[in-house]
Amino acid sequence: MSGTSGVHEKARGWEAARDALVDAAVAAHDEDTLRRLSAMPGGFGSRPARCRAWLELLHVDRLRSASVSPDTTRFATPDTDAETVVYTPHRDEEQVLLDTRRAFVTYPRDVSSDAKAEMQEDLQALICAVLQRHPALHYFQGFHDIATVLYLTLLSRVPRPREGATATDREEWDTLVRATEVVALSRVRDGMGKDLGAMMGMLKLLRRVLAAADPGLYRISASISPVPTLPFFALSWILTLFSHDVDTLAPVQRIFDYLIARNPISAIYLAVAILMSKKRQMLKLAAALGPEARLDPSLLHPLFQRLPPLYADTPEEPRPPPDFHPPEHGAKYDEPNPYAPIALSGIFQLADKLQAKHPFDGSRIRAHEVLGPGSVVRTYARELGDSLNHNSELDDGEMDEKAALKGWTLADAEACIDKDVVLPGGSELDDDDETVPWPDRLGELARSQRVVTALTLGVLFLGVGAALYRSSGRYRLAGLWASYVRRDMSWARAYFGHYVRYVPALRDL
């Protein structure tokens, strides 16, 4: 590997045994075993075994692209192939360029500026290749973080050699492009439509899972949110498969092990598991903030939004060593992480237990009332093809179409973009949580906090608006966002109402 000797570690003792298990499962197309291995300490083991497992679980060989016809056969992006196809440039490529120029800041480490520039060119070529093949996709800021993880994992040499590329180099690049296509169309497609309405539906489901799993923690999260009950602090987690919020590669790869092996809905269960795993630490940090945190619950928003250091535990190192510290160089945050590290395998086990206890198609979570038949959550079963019997979310009508489902292609997935992704009302608040009672008397609290709250609301509004900004240069969810805060109340009434609910909720814990 040129330029990034620290990205792919040498094989360790336990990896040989794990790799053998992964290879046997891949050879047998045994996705149940791969799913079980993905949650174990060490995940899929070495980089080569991880690649084989990801490609098997993404069904890259089976899901062949039926994309638009190329414009020419002349090469126009920084690829090493002498001949390839050229597609019409995608409308979002300018925004992609802005993001790829900021890529590879936190990892890999010890990369020269020239190598980093070439890696950024590779990432630009990768994302644009996917967007050009599927022009109906809309790029979202943060997809480059997902592509970065795939790029650093599925290529054995990064940056790609500009001269002397081998047949293996070209084959790996082609596989990387196809894998990224599958991730875009079959894992995060709901976030690549014209707006993020489907992601609002996912946040709604996350809220339901948290309410079912930990009512006390849910009450606090609902109280600190600027929009009643929707946990916007977790938006980037589920939108980017946590890749935007983790500063090191190993834990992100382990998270991808877990998520790629499961229905895309698993991201919300993983988010809830992380919240529950850091709950004790978070409450201690909240208590350390003193009386101000009780008067202004918005101060807890960063504690909810910040992920703890996620430790990529292995069979040989199940717990973080005493000298373990998250990296500080190039971190996405200005302040050090206030949390102690948490081992990932324990979080994965909790997420699986939550999904078993509160299934998304059950009577408590009711995902089918929120997400339509065009959502990745609903079409995931179609992608599985021969593995239909493993998916409880299929109803009788879908089972009757078994023969048709086996022919599922990426063209079918592309046809689902912006089509019946979220049901009417699915992105709105639940009826029992739409309004926050306005107290008759707020006393000194309302008067003393009026100015501070107004400023806080302004910052929160701009912050969430920035998070929802899309590559077209418009705030696609501005109207949707504003509609939440206008419904049946003014901003002031909604926010002051949180104070009334927040203090007893914190005390109940």
Side-chain angles (χ1 to χ4, degrees), residues 273-317:
I274 290 174
L275 289 171
M276 294 175 64
S277 297
K278 72 174 186 175
K279 172 182 173 180
R280 181 173 298 181
Q281 293 189 63
M282 184 164 54
L283 293 180
K284 289 182 178 180
L285 292 169
L289 292 175
E292 290 186 5
R294 289 185 176 274
L295 295 177
D296 187 357
S298 68
L299 295 176
L300 296 188
H301 194 277
L303 293 181
F304 273 86
Q305 196 275 333
R306 187 74 179 266
L307 291 177
L310 300 174
Y311 176 64
D313 54 326
T314 70
E316 293 180 350
E317 297 179 330

Side-chain angles (χ1 to χ4, degrees), residues 16 56 67 72 114 135 165 178 202 254 275 369 384 504:
E56 172 68 20
S67 57
T72 70
D114 290 342
R178 289 191 287 121
M202 291 285 277
R254 287 284 305 283
L275 289 171
E369 297 177 1
L384 294 185

Side-chain angles (χ1 to χ4, degrees), residues 62 81 139 141 259 332 396 401 508:
R62 184 153 51 86
D81 291 342
Y139 174 81
Q141 290 175 280
L259 293 178
K332 294 182 173 70
D396 293 338
E401 299 175 3
D508 290 344

Side-chain angles (χ1 to χ4, degrees), residues 48-203:
R50 171 167 286 116
C51 292
R52 293 188 287 272
W54 285 10
L55 297 177
E56 172 68 20
L57 291 165
L58 290 172
H59 313 117
V60 170
D61 288 337
R62 184 153 51 86
L63 292 176
R64 291 293 178 178
S65 174
S67 57
V68 297
S69 300
D71 297 323
T72 70
T73 56
R74 182 176 55 82
F75 185 69
T77 54
D79 203 335
T80 54
D81 291 342
E83 293 182 358
T84 189
V85 297
V86 176
Y87 296 87
T88 299
H90 192 273
R91 60 188 170 275
D92 295 337
E93 290 188 20
E94 183 177 350
Q95 180 61 52
V96 176
L97 182 60
L98 293 176
D99 287 349
T100 56
R101 285 175 175 172
R102 297 190 293 262
F104 306 108
V105 173
T106 58
Y107 59 79
R109 303 287 299 277
D110 302 323
V111 177
S112 69
S113 58
D114 290 342
K116 181 179 292 187
E118 292 180 353
M119 292 164 65
Q120 291 170 343
E121 290 179 0
D122 289 347
L123 191 62
Q124 177 77 11
L126 171 61
I127 297 173
C128 289
V130 173
L131 294 177
Q132 290 173 7
R133 285 162 172 75
H134 305 282
L137 289 171
H138 291 75
Y139 174 81
F140 64 83
Q141 290 175 280
F143 182 74
H144 73 289
D145 293 307
I146 297 174
T148 294
V149 179
L150 299 173
Y151 171 81
L152 292 174
T153 304
L154 297 179
L155 294 186
S156 59
R157 295 203 294 174
V158 297
R160 292 179 298 149
R162 266 44 184 177
E163 297 179 359
T166 66
T168 299
D169 293 325
R170 291 189 288 270
E171 181 180 359
E172 285 187 351
W173 179 259
D174 179 67
T175 299
L176 171 63
V177 172
R178 289 191 287 121
T180 308
E181 281 185 276
V182 174
V183 170
L185 289 168
S186 298
R187 294 300 191 272
V188 298
R189 183 181 70 241
D190 289 0
M192 302 192 77
K194 293 180 179 179
D195 59 44
L196 291 180
M199 302 313 296
M200 300 303 101
M202 291 285 277
L203 290 179

Side-chain angles (χ1 to χ4, degrees), residues 316-393:
E316 293 180 350
E317 297 179 330
R319 289 178 295 276
D323 59 348
F324 176 83
H325 296 287
E328 297 180 0
H329 173 75
K332 294 182 173 70
Y333 299 90
D334 294 332
E335 298 179 356
N337 198 315
Y339 291 105
I342 302 176
L344 275 169
S345 60
I347 295 176
F348 295 153
Q349 292 171 12
L350 177 57
D352 280 344
K353 290 179 181 178
L354 291 174
Q355 188 159 357
K357 186 176 181 180
H358 308 290
F360 67 87
D361 55 351
S363 60
R364 184 68 184 271
I365 310 305
R366 309 184 309 281
H368 285 49
E369 297 177 1
V370 176
L371 301 175
S375 168
V376 290
V377 175
R378 301 284 296 275
T379 62
Y380 177 72
R382 293 183 167 189
E383 177 195 323
L384 294 185
D386 293 332
S387 301
L388 289 173
N389 58 310
H390 297 305
N391 293 274
S392 62
E393 67 265 28

Side-chain angles (χ1 to χ4, degrees), residues 4-56:
T4 58
S5 59
V7 176
H8 305 316
E9 300 177 357
K10 295 181 179 179
R12 290 159 287 187
W14 61 270
E15 287 184 340
R18 181 62 53 83
D19 288 2
L21 293 175
V22 169
D23 288 343
V26 169
H29 305 292
D30 185 355
E31 296 190 12
D32 285 338
T33 295
L34 289 175
R35 194 171 296 113
R36 178 176 57 83
L37 293 173
S38 72
M40 294 174 60
F44 290 139
S46 68
R47 189 201 70 83
R50 171 167 286 116
C51 292
R52 293 188 287 272
W54 285 10
L55 297 177
E56 172 68 20

